[in-house]
Amino acid sequence: MTTTFLLVHSPSVGPSTWLPVAAALERRGHAAVVPDLTQVSSGCAPYWPRVVEAVRAAAPDTRIVLVVHSNAGFFLPVIKEGLGDRVVACVFADAHIPPREGLVRTAEEGFLPFLRELADADGVLPRWTDWWSAEDVAELLPDPQTRARVVAEQARLPLDYYTQPLPVPAGWDDVRCSCLWFGPPYEQVAEEATRRGWSVTRLPGAHLHQVVAPEGVADALLKLSRKS
């Protein structure tokens, strides 16, 4: 059976953060799909069922290597449960690793005051790139055209996206799991992956390195999916 790389972007950004890697994988003869999660915050919480449904709707009926970026890592357990036994491997690419079971939120308690300061009167946050200075965003995305595309497609998420509890079904990590990390602060994630006995690879770069260096990221994903 064919294997497809299912590249899941953080709902804080959009699908163009994975499209260059999808194209690089396809040039190497591998199927790749990028679900669009930019509408998952439409309506009220909980938002995670919409994340699962959006990924399921995009996923082909093949074996799946499930790849998640940034806070999409927190959704991986429920996504994997929604896809069933088609998932044969999981890769956390500069992504948060959830606990083995229980509940988790997409923002740590210490980060919530910063988010509350950003939220407007309706409890809606600015676009993720507007949280940071123009200089910081330019460092993440040096190419102006790429930067404009990533910025334009972002959703404005509600504050409760970051405070809602997400279920973490037990046994989600019963397939091969691995970690690809680019830079700080994700060395902490890499350390946790190592403690869990996963394969870990460093590809030095900033948090959106998959946009900047898609060929290298594609190569790393292929290696991790084979040996993890």
Side-chain angles (χ1 to χ4, degrees):
M1 180 185 288
T2 302
T3 300
T4 301
F5 283 82
L6 198 58
L7 308 172
V8 182
H9 67 85
S10 163
S12 303
V13 286
S16 69
T17 54
W18 271 127
L19 289 175
V21 173
L25 288 167
E26 288 168 352
R27 284 192 291 273
R28 289 157 173 76
H30 300 275
V33 172
V34 182
D36 186 342
L37 306 184
T38 56
Q39 301 301 313
V40 299
S41 64
S42 300
C44 299
Y47 306 109
W48 66 265
R50 297 191 199 108
V51 171
V52 174
E53 184 51 40
V55 176
R56 287 182 62 186
D61 188 18
T62 66
R63 293 180 301 184
I64 297 291
V65 175
L66 184 57
V67 184
V68 290
H69 176 247
S70 194
N71 71 53
F74 292 120
F75 296 93
L76 185 142
V78 289
I79 292 171
K80 178 179 174 288
E81 184 177 64
L83 294 172
D85 58 10
R86 284 180 286 168
V87 178
V88 295
C90 299
V91 183
F92 289 78
D94 233 38
H96 296 282
I97 298 174
R100 289 187 169 89
E101 61 181 307
L103 294 171
V104 71
R105 289 183 171 87
T106 60
E108 295 180 354
E109 193 66 31
F111 194 57
L112 291 179
F114 172 76
L115 295 179
R116 292 190 178 105
E117 284 289 324
L118 289 174
D120 65 17
D122 296 320
V124 179
L125 293 160
R127 298 174 304 183
W128 180 76
T129 50
D130 293 331
W131 299 5
W132 323 111
S133 70
E135 292 77 14
D136 288 341
V137 176
E139 286 183 10
L140 283 173
L141 300 163
D143 177 68
Q145 289 184 329
T146 301
R147 185 164 66 248
R149 183 165 58 251
V150 170
V151 168
E153 71 179 358
Q154 295 171 106
R156 292 187 60 198
L157 296 175
L159 178 61
D160 64 356
Y161 166 85
Y162 292 96
T163 60
Q164 65 168 330
L166 308 177
V168 182
W172 65 265
D173 53 356
D174 61 359
V175 297
R176 299 191 314 274
C177 293
S178 58
C179 173
L180 171 64
W181 69 287
F182 305 142
Y186 285 86
E187 70 274 14
Q188 299 170 17
V189 170
E191 290 167 1
E192 173 61 21
T194 299
R195 284 192 291 270
R196 297 192 188 194
W198 301 357
S199 294
V200 177
T201 294
R202 169 88 191 274
L203 194 61
H207 188 46
L208 294 176
H209 194 57
Q210 75 272 29
V211 184
V212 176
E215 301 293 337
V217 171
D219 287 340
L221 293 179
L222 286 168
K223 289 176 183 177
L224 283 169
S225 68
R226 289 166 182 159
K227 72 178 183 180
S228 58

